[in-house]
Amino acid sequence: MEEMIKPAPAPASSEEEKEVVATAATGERRHEEATAGREEQEEEEEEEEAPVVLKKGPWTTAEDAVLVQHVRQHGEGNWNAVQRMTGLLRCGKSCRLRWTNHLRPNLKKGSFSPDEELLIAQLHAQLGNKWARMASHLPGRTDNEIKNYWNTRTKRRQRAGLPVYPPDVQLHLAFAKRCRYDDFSSPLSSPQQSAGSNVLSMDAADAAGAASSGYTSARPPPLDLAGQLAMGSRPVQLLAATPFSAPSSPWGKPFARNAQFFQFPHSSPVSPTTPTGPVQVHPVTPELSLGYGLHAGDRARLPPVSPSPGARAELPSSQLRPSMAPTTAAAAATGGLVGGALQDHPNAASLEAMLQELHDAIKIEPSAPPENRGTEEEGGGGGGNLRGVSGDGKPEVELKDDIETLFDLIIPATFPAAAPEPAAAATAASAAPNHSSSVSQHSSDDQDHSNGADVVLDLPILTGGGGGSSEQDDWSLDGAACQWDNISGGICRHEFR
DNA sequence: AATGCGCGCAACCGCCTGCGG
DNA sequence: TCCGCAGGCGGTTGCGCGCAT
């Protein structure tokens, strides 16, 4: 605080005074002030007869001092009175902005920490460009700061053809997308089920904001990570805990300025590598967290699919597709969907068949122009890798049903810590409503896209993406190899081996 | 050394909302 | 109900700086 209140400057020179009360806030005067007269300048007393022409441009330390002094004496608010009471040639708006963005106490300066960056990404995924509300979740940060950060960051990542959101947030949105198809009254999204969970809840303001933002009723509550951050005591569970180590993550890569900070401190309350809480099914081991890398040994830890409280107990009959011939060979070839977990599932056979069929039928078309690829801007519920008609002529809408069915089954099996969490599901309705995603299990000899990955997530790049980039980004998954591959045009693929 | 370019950031602008007269 | 004002918010602009050429 002390350094923010600069000592009163030496009496301004007469020409400086004249400058301050100059009538035209021209660009050249602005330039002069920016360069020469930045250090000291005062204008507390000037001729009252002169028409008051409010100053623009960068604030001087003297002006800051005046404003700080005024706020100390009179408190915040009534910003238009500042000019009258202090003679400061700034409009109320400018005073308010200067105070809130630079002068008020407890402002955090400097680069965003990795925790904050992650939080911003999550908040943005939930709220969109609601900078002020995002700022309310980030103590000491201003909406302007967050906005600037996000805009530059987004530009950079889009230019690089990288997804705007980190994988876990994308996954979150994938859940969100899926959640929108669920009956809101179903157990999956029943609010009661979130009781006792430490997965974040929506506060009233956010709920109101959600309504006013035009989101659906199933819109997710924003993650209350900020609350966790502020409280510093209660552990937080990210919806999809980040399984990768931040310093090597593609999420962190473009942020060289934060490279030295980009480690999720395990002491941090929002450290994604510090998952806790009742729904943390698996202990986080160095080689695996949250079912991301499904090694053979890990598969045994997967919970049964169907009884999972988060998964719907019954699939819609229309989605069960009983006529589909079981493709047990495919299941055998893949070693079973998600390990053995689904092999015991009553629908495993048909599921495997669907998987095989879908995997054969639904192909990403790298040659297709990005505008046909279903990025979020397109909307239409398309997107992802569902394009047109399958190889056997299955209409797209049917494929979509299949995908949704797969979501019901695969998500709980693949991400057992996330999917069964009803609050997370309720949390996860979408701020980016038109994303489609798919999860598929690739056989070991199926190398066309998966490179032998155990689990492959194809997620849309959420803000248009670079399109056509073949950029590839690998990161370590604490032992499990993982790949971020912007295949082309709005799809990024996460492969977990 | 000079120049161009990109980035980060501060500040402005316009619109919207809430409130009181 | 209308109007004006104050404040808030999100988008945009423009400057300064650092880096690459």
Side-chain angles (χ1 to χ4, degrees), chain A residues 238-393:
Chain A
L238 298 175
L239 179 59
T242 309
F244 49 87
S245 55
S248 57
S249 80
W251 180 239
K253 274 182 184 175
F255 311 111
R257 68 184 173 88
N258 280 330
Q260 71 273 27
F261 303 114
F262 213 103
Q263 301 193 8
F264 290 109
H266 287 252
S267 59
S268 164
V270 295
S271 168
T273 54
T274 316
T276 55
V279 297
Q280 188 62 41
V281 175
H282 306 304
V284 177
T285 64
E287 77 278 2
L288 174 75
S289 62
L290 289 174
Y292 266 85
L294 293 169
H295 304 297
D298 301 318
R299 289 168 179 159
R301 296 186 297 173
L302 290 171
V305 174
S306 183
S308 153
R312 284 187 286 191
E314 294 183 347
L315 292 170
S317 57
S318 62
Q319 295 183 356
L320 284 174
R321 310 188 59 77
S323 62
M324 191 178 296
T327 315
T328 52
T334 63
L337 179 69
V338 195
L342 285 181
Q343 286 183 328
D344 298 327
H345 190 274
N347 297 318
S350 60
L351 179 60
E352 289 291 347
M354 289 166 57
L355 258 181
Q356 187 62 44
E357 180 182 352
L358 284 164
H359 183 249
D360 291 340
I362 303 169
K363 300 290 186 189
I364 295 170
E365 300 162 13
S367 59
E371 59 267 24
N372 294 333
R373 283 205 169 277
T375 59
E376 86 167 330
E377 287 82 5
E378 279 183 68
N385 54 1
L386 291 177
R387 286 294 111 205
V389 176
S390 73
D392 60 355

Side-chain angles (χ1 to χ4, degrees), chain A residues 333 442-448 452:
Chain A
H442 290 249
S443 65
S444 57
D445 55 351
D446 183 5
Q447 301 286 324
D448 54 349

Side-chain angles (χ1 to χ4, degrees), chain A residues 75 88 104 127 134 182 192 203 249 308 319 330 339 360 364 434:
Chain A
L88 196 58
R104 71 178 156 96
L127 302 172
M134 290 167 73
D182 292 325
Q192 293 89 332
D203 60 42
S249 80
S308 153
Q319 295 183 356
D360 291 340
I364 295 170
N434 290 320

